[in-house]
Amino acid sequence: MALPDIEPVSRESTAEIIARQLRDAIMYGSLPPGTQLGETELASRFQVSRGPLREAMQRLVSEGLLRAERHRGLFVIDLGPADVYDIYSARSAIERAAVIRIMRGGDRENVAATLDETVRAMAVAADDDDPTALSDADLKFHEALIAASGSPRLVRMARTLLIETRMCLAELQRTYQAVEERVGEHNQIIEAIRAGDEDLVLSLLEAHMEDAVRRLAPGTSLTAGAAP
């Protein structure tokens, strides 16, 4: 078969590297919600021209992590109650679909074992009083759950949502009086997967999402409909 001229696959572009670093900075709070991104300062810090920087920032605009304000520039998104509702309702739909695929066709024991590792990491982080590692392990649980569905589309759909979720986790962490409560919620989901109880897994997952929304946005509920 004749092929058109194909260029060799290049390494990660400058814009991709900048976008990844900005994404991480937003996810971990180095660039907090509402922060304005100044081109001059960032170009100096990255030691790049404004071309790849602008390309990187536009990628984050398209991902929904930055917002553009006319005549003012680009800002890290703020996550108000309506945003929290939107993030968790979308996550709930994606993770529900992932669970159904796992329960009806996946290797449940292998999935449970993978999830066990993330919960053990949560427990270790809690013992070490490392909130960053705890939230990272929490996020890895949900990434692993979605990946176990075997659906590349669900994984793609979840990618930005999980970055936004990571932005929420530092605040969510402050609402737990005991870390064991957070770890316990995840362990219950794992045991229901092992038991093959699809209805229970879905019920626990829904309760897990609902609890997070109520902690992050008091007065808001997934089950009551759209956020005020």
Side-chain angles (χ1 to χ4, degrees):
M1 179 177 65
L3 292 173
D5 291 338
I6 296 176
E7 296 292 330
V9 176
S10 61
R11 291 178 293 178
E12 191 175 23
S13 71
T14 300
E16 288 170 336
I17 294 170
I18 295 170
R20 173 167 47 77
Q21 292 192 34
L22 289 175
R23 200 179 289 117
D24 287 347
I26 292 170
M27 183 166 61
Y28 287 101
S30 300
L31 290 173
T35 300
Q36 183 174 13
L37 273 63
E39 282 189 12
T40 302
E41 179 188 357
L42 285 174
S44 175
R45 289 182 63 180
F46 283 114
Q47 298 185 353
V48 296
S49 66
R50 295 194 182 189
L53 176 63
R54 286 173 178 166
E55 181 183 342
M57 292 195 294
Q58 284 306 311
R59 291 187 186 198
L60 269 62
V61 169
S62 68
E63 293 172 11
L65 297 175
L66 297 178
R67 71 175 193 277
E69 291 190 13
R70 189 175 178 83
H71 304 308
R72 293 193 65 205
L74 297 177
F75 296 79
V76 178
I77 58 168
D78 295 291
L79 297 179
D83 299 296
V84 170
Y85 172 88
D86 200 34
I87 291 165
Y88 278 86
S89 61
R91 276 190 58 202
S92 183
I94 290 170
E95 294 192 35
R96 179 183 177 85
V99 164
I100 289 172
R101 288 175 67 106
I102 290 166
M103 300 304 287
R104 298 182 186 179
D107 182 346
R108 294 196 308 273
E109 182 54 43
N110 187 51
V111 172
T114 300
L115 296 177
D116 275 336
E117 292 180 16
T118 67
V119 176
R120 281 195 292 271
M122 287 177 67
V124 169
D127 289 341
D128 292 342
D129 193 24
D130 186 340
T132 298
L134 177 59
S135 291
D136 284 347
D138 188 329
L139 200 66
K140 287 185 186 302
F141 175 96
H142 296 279
E143 286 179 321
L145 181 69
I146 295 165
S149 72
S151 168
R153 288 170 180 81
L154 289 177
V155 171
R156 285 201 303 269
M157 290 166 65
R159 192 167 293 133
T160 299
L161 286 171
L162 290 175
I163 293 171
E164 292 176 315
T165 299
R166 183 61 181 78
M167 295 170 67
C168 295
L169 287 178
E171 184 62 32
L172 183 64
Q173 193 165 285
R174 300 187 187 101
T175 69
Y176 284 92
Q177 293 184 348
V179 175
E180 292 77 14
E181 183 181 357
R182 188 170 170 185
V183 173
E185 289 178 8
H186 292 80
N187 274 327
Q188 287 177 342
I189 293 171
I190 293 172
E191 290 313 308
I193 290 173
R194 276 202 170 92
D197 192 333
E198 180 181 311
D199 289 341
L200 180 57
V201 180
L202 293 174
S203 176
L204 290 169
L205 185 64
E206 181 180 345
H208 182 61
M209 298 289 183
E210 177 70 23
D211 179 65
V213 168
R214 288 180 174 172
R215 289 172 183 272
L216 289 166
T220 302
S221 170
L222 290 178
T223 56

